Amino acid sequence: MTASAKALDDDLLGDVRPVIRLLLVASALAMLVAIVNVGALFLALGLTKRQELAVRVSLGATPRRLLLLALTDASIVATAGAVVGVAIAYGVVRLVVAFASTQLPRADAIDVNGVPLAVAVALAVVATVAFAIACVYGQQRAEPSRALQAATRGGTGTRTARRIQRALVVAQVTLAVTVILGAGLMARSQLNLETLDLGLAGDRILIVQVVPPQQDDFANPKRFNAGLDRIIEAVAALPGVQGVAPLLSEPFGGMSGWDARYLLDGQAPEEEARQPLLNLEIASPAFFQTLGIEIVRGRAFTDEDSAEGRPVVILSESAARLAWPNKDAVGERMKIAGTWATVVGVAADTRYRELTVLRPTAYRPRDQFEAAPPFLAVRTAGDPIGVAPAIRRAGQAMWPGATFTSLRRLDGYSSEPLARSRVTAALFVAFAAVCLVLSTIGLYGVVTAHV
């Protein structure tokens, strides 16, 4: 056995920290788009007001008066934008928490609090005021007579102003396209995850968790399996049930599954410790047919693979390639979970243990591996949820005192590992939509000013 240590923060946050960092980058890009948007719009506004400013300068307006005028306009815009933005933020954050409370750690602590609120408002005010002052400064430096002549001719401002405006528009579109492309990649990755081939008939399989009448029944596999066999026999006889098979662990259990190292025929015993771990499952003769796992070479387990029979094992395709990369694994021998066994079949790979990781798997016959499998896979002809009440009644009748703490569809289990990535993809798409709207507004304002 081996031990592993991790920091408490890592245990609490898990794999959500990189997601939060990505969302921080997306929000920063959205903020940059908004800042550039403000700059482009103020520059366009300055070009449309250059005649007014030239008249004010001609009539004797001082730089201080022009600055106060710019600060007044900027304050109105900044205050309105900050107030509306904060109001939207409160609503959106509450919506996100309600939508993703089960997928994000410490969701109850997610709120619009002081530091991010102060940073956002400060950026809004500083950016608006800075661009307003810059526009006034640029107009103040121009000769009033030239500004009046340019306005009369319908000009579009100085060459420097046009260059700055083009640069701002280019920066705005670049940032928006960056966020949109990132959101597109996230959405594409999510779509690939949603359409992964599990190698299982997940839409018609019900996973049933069996709890024996007494907890110490788990410590006595023979007694536990005797009661489980009665339940399997009763459930298999129900109308609409096409197969029943015991399972060592629930779907997508990750670290809660069983692992075993292996040793190949001809290898030294000390090499076993260096071999990679295989996912270990037990399988009854009905296991592969019930779960819809294809046997690509060799055969499945039969009733002859009993405790008194020859020890046998079935490998997944990835496990067979790992052990014997250049030859057919059927007929070879390997030591798995402390027993030398002959490979009698190769099964298609599945993602039963983990959704995003294809684990090499070894299957041992149930009668040749002493364990108390607490889960059942029940394959049905129709919707498995409709058979759940009958399964519960039949099982409790055959093993009085046993309880069924969970009856869930297999495809329902598969949605849980995807939940957090769904939330992340949705948030990125939301940021992309915000950037797209902001860029559209900015471009519209600039083009309108030119027209």
Side-chain angles (χ1 to χ4, degrees), residues 389-426:
I391 293 174
R392 192 186 299 272
R393 288 193 300 269
Q396 290 174 342
M398 299 305 295
W399 195 0
T403 56
F404 301 88
T405 57
S406 175
L407 293 95
R408 298 176 56 191
R409 288 171 51 135
L410 178 58
D411 51 6
Y413 279 94
S414 64
S415 64
E416 291 181 358
L418 296 172
R420 185 172 297 171
S421 59
R422 283 187 189 131
V423 172
T424 305

Side-chain angles (χ1 to χ4, degrees), residues 313-388:
V313 63
I314 292 177
L315 299 178
S316 66
E317 290 182 288
S318 56
R321 287 193 300 269
L322 183 66
W324 294 281
N326 301 315
K327 59 192 297 190
D328 188 359
V330 177
E332 299 292 336
R333 293 177 73 245
M334 71 185 320
K335 184 182 179 183
I336 183 79
T339 302
W340 283 97
T342 303
V343 179
V344 295
V346 176
D349 285 316
T350 72
R351 297 181 182 271
Y352 182 87
R353 176 86 175 263
E354 286 190 64
L355 181 67
T356 57
V357 179
L358 197 65
R359 283 183 176 249
T361 302
Y363 302 92
R364 289 297 317 280
R366 179 190 173 198
D367 292 339
Q368 295 183 2
F369 189 84
E370 190 174 87
F375 296 92
L376 292 177
V378 182
R379 184 183 180 120
T380 61
D383 184 7
I385 296 298
V387 190

Side-chain angles (χ1 to χ4, degrees), residues 131-194:
F131 281 121
I133 293 174
C135 289
V136 170
Y137 179 73
Q139 293 299 329
Q140 183 185 340
R141 293 185 59 188
E143 288 292 334
S145 58
R146 291 183 181 179
L148 288 170
Q149 292 170 2
T152 304
R153 292 194 305 267
T156 58
T158 64
R159 182 178 300 176
T160 301
R162 291 196 299 272
R163 286 177 178 173
I164 294 174
Q165 199 169 44
R166 289 169 184 163
L168 289 173
V169 170
V170 169
Q172 189 177 29
V173 174
T174 301
L175 291 169
V177 168
T178 301
V179 179
I180 292 170
L181 286 176
L185 290 173
M186 290 289 295
R188 180 63 181 270
S189 299
Q190 182 64 29
L191 181 62
N192 291 338
L193 283 174
E194 299 278 359

